[in-house]
Amino acid sequence: MTPPPPDPPPAGPGAAPPPGCPAHGLGPGGVQRLYGRAASAAPAALYERLRARHGAVAPVLLEGDVPGWLVLGYREVLEVTRDPHRFSRDGRNWTEWRRGRVLPDSPIAPVLLWGPDCTHVDGAAHQRLRGAVHESLQRFDRRALRRWTRTAAHGLIDRFAADGRADLLGQYARVAPTLTLTRLLGVPEPLGPGLAEASRQLLIGTERAVTSDRHIQQVLHRLVLSRHEAPGHDLASWLIAHPAALSDDEVKHHLRLVLVAANESTTNLVANTLRLVLLHPVFRGSLLDGRMTLSEAVEQVLWDEPPIAVCPGGFALRDTDLGGRRIRGGDVLLLGLAAANADPLVRPRAGALMHGNRSHLAFTSGPHECPGQDIGRAIAETTIEVLLSRLPDLAPAVAAGELTWSSSTWSRHLDALPVVFTPRPPRPAGERERGAAPEPPAVRDPNAARARGAAGRAPGARVRRPAPTVRAALGVRAALGRLRGR
Ligand code: HEM
């Protein structure tokens, strides 16, 4: 790829930069590493440093010091996601991979290298696979999914309600979405937590990423075989039955994709929203006095702390310009979703309240835009709603500064969210039993979903984002409108 201009070297030969110095995390040629301790310590500050130094598109190094581009501009992210003729999702176009510089056991391999699912293909092949996933997801009735999540959430709260303290991450935010999502996939309940942990390792990109991936694939392979024998009301069965005639391997890989794409991101959304509600008096106050609805609070978190901060954006198919940079054919581009959401072009005032505006890029845009976003929102909102109604006097057990995080190139995760509250008895046994075995979410007519097309809308219909419930700042909306309209 084009050699990037070097950052200034640290002062003095061999001098180690002091802690907090921007020179931490620089690799060969003075290029910023997007991995490692220095990069994960404060990702938002890192993105702003890169923006200040390089503009909308910055040269970075991925694990193994493999070079790539981080797209930081809102407009540029839209440009990459919406132009499959210039930017392919197929990792076999990646020069660094062709040169043998990205080994199959690298932590970035499972996310970036070609794989047999719809995230890695373009055009008609993408439409076929994505159509099957999207239409199968459409068969889950959203209200019923909420009911299902509510039951799971109540069951979890029953386990710690009498203690007066809990770790909302480990005991709740990480488990509640998993219960709904693994059920949605069709995975037997006892296997859910192991699968969720494996998908976390994969997304965090630890050294366990590759073995975790193997475990996920084994479990899902067995699931596909069992659903051939005994179909159920779940994604596995509906993918098998879909007219796109996916092979068993394709079904397995799309179940894996949904597991990985959905689980950690939904958990992250729940955890980050709860953290803000608990630790930021203004946020909590706005929710309590009705100036902000829970949906708006979730949307605000999707702007400020998108669960996936960086996501693969594609591989340039030819030499091209982006954000004033010369990108060579075969270069990899990563979408800086958190950075793009904070782009001063669309948010002149850092951290501005967006009042339910849904034009953020947390789900990206273009043909690969997340097809499960409604499900993610429904699960997250329900999980939070149930908790706040059951334990209304939740309070943080530690100060904001004591919370710790784990980060990777792709995202940042809270390690724990300790809280205290007035102990309450669990729900009466009768109520718990009624909720113990939630009925499967009602089934929608699959033909109706299919008729709406792979993207879930009438063929030819324009994408209509729901109107914000409270009017967003006019300047911000005008800026977004200008950019989206291009
Ligand atoms: C709040 C939770 C979620 C967030 C923040 C999120 C975010 C994302 C992002 C950033 C992408 C990448 C889009 C791209 O490559 O341009 C994605 C893709 C995807 N997501 Fe989600 N997601 C969430 C929940 C879900 C859920 C609940 C499901 C399914 C039940 C799901 C299924 C998928 C699938 C299948 C893809 C691949 C789409 C494609 O390549 O065509 N996601 N998601």
Side-chain angles (χ1 to χ4, degrees), residues 89 118-119 126 130 133 137 181 257-258 261-262 265-266 269 307-308 311 337 362-364 367-368 370-372 375-376:
R89 292 301 181 104
C118 69
T119 55
H126 174 245
R130 181 189 166 97
V133 174
L137 288 175
L181 286 167
L257 167 64
V258 168
S265 43
T266 311
L269 183 56
I308 300 176
C311 106
L337 305 180
F363 300 110
T364 77
H368 288 267
C370 175
I375 295 181

Side-chain angles (χ1 to χ4, degrees), residues 156-182:
L156 290 172
I157 297 169
D158 284 334
R159 294 189 197 164
F160 58 75
D163 299 342
R165 55 175 52 247
D167 165 21
L168 283 188
L169 199 82
Q171 292 175 265
Y172 192 68
R174 200 175 277 154
V175 202
T178 299
L179 288 174
T180 300
L181 286 167
T182 46

Side-chain angles (χ1 to χ4, degrees), residues 443-474:
V443 178
R444 283 178 175 178
D445 174 5
N447 295 323
R450 205 161 299 133
R452 280 194 293 273
R457 43 185 99 102
R462 289 190 53 214
V463 182
R464 205 170 58 80
R465 299 199 173 242
T469 40
V470 181
R471 218 157 270 117
L474 283 176

Side-chain angles (χ1 to χ4, degrees), residues 261-286:
N263 197 60
E264 193 58 16
S265 43
T266 311
T267 292
N268 239 359
L269 183 56
V270 172
N272 288 339
T273 310
L274 283 174
R275 178 177 55 80
L276 280 173
V277 170
L278 289 171
L279 288 158
H280 287 256
V282 176
F283 207 82
R284 187 179 185 129
S286 301

